[in-house]
Amino acid sequence: MRRNAIGYLSLLGLLGLLGLVAGNEGFYGFFGFFGFMSAFRGKGTDERVNRNVDRACRNSFLYIMLAAALFIAYIASLRAAEAFPLAFAALFAGGIVMFVVSFVYYNERGD
């Protein structure tokens, strides 16, 4: 069993600290990368893990596409451009959280 390199994506969560320094809310979405730390810490990789990663990617992609359509429709219809940074952070962090939750679900289910 090889070591899973996806867990190293949790280091990108440190970029969220730039939001505290710069005052830009868009950086807070990077905190979503810390979810990879709990999901992939100490896990190796094999065919089952790769299949579960594929399924989790599918769920995350569907979330991002549906949520992006809703956010774009909301911003365009209400002309609320100031909501774009929050929508971007919700898409970015939500997609990552969806991936991690889906992966944990499929991994615990044992498929």
Side-chain angles (χ1 to χ4, degrees), residues 27-94:
F27 285 110
Y28 293 145
F30 285 101
F31 285 129
F33 278 105
F34 285 127
F36 286 102
M37 189 179 301
S38 62
F40 291 101
R41 184 182 55 200
K43 303 243 192 284
T45 183
D46 59 7
E47 293 174 7
R48 184 183 60 83
V49 171
N50 288 339
R51 188 177 58 238
N52 290 340
V53 167
D54 290 344
R55 290 175 174 171
C57 285
R58 178 199 59 206
N59 292 344
S60 178
F61 176 76
L62 289 175
Y63 164 77
I64 290 173
M65 289 297 110
L66 293 174
L70 291 174
F71 281 130
I72 289 171
Y74 172 78
I75 291 171
S77 64
L78 297 179
R79 300 185 190 273
E82 64 276 358
F84 186 75
L86 182 62
F88 179 75
L91 285 175
F92 195 68

Side-chain angles (χ1 to χ4, degrees), residues 92-108:
F92 195 68
I96 294 169
V97 169
M98 176 64 76
F99 174 81
V100 171
V101 168
S102 297
F103 178 78
V104 169
Y105 172 75
Y106 290 128
N107 199 35
E108 294 297 321

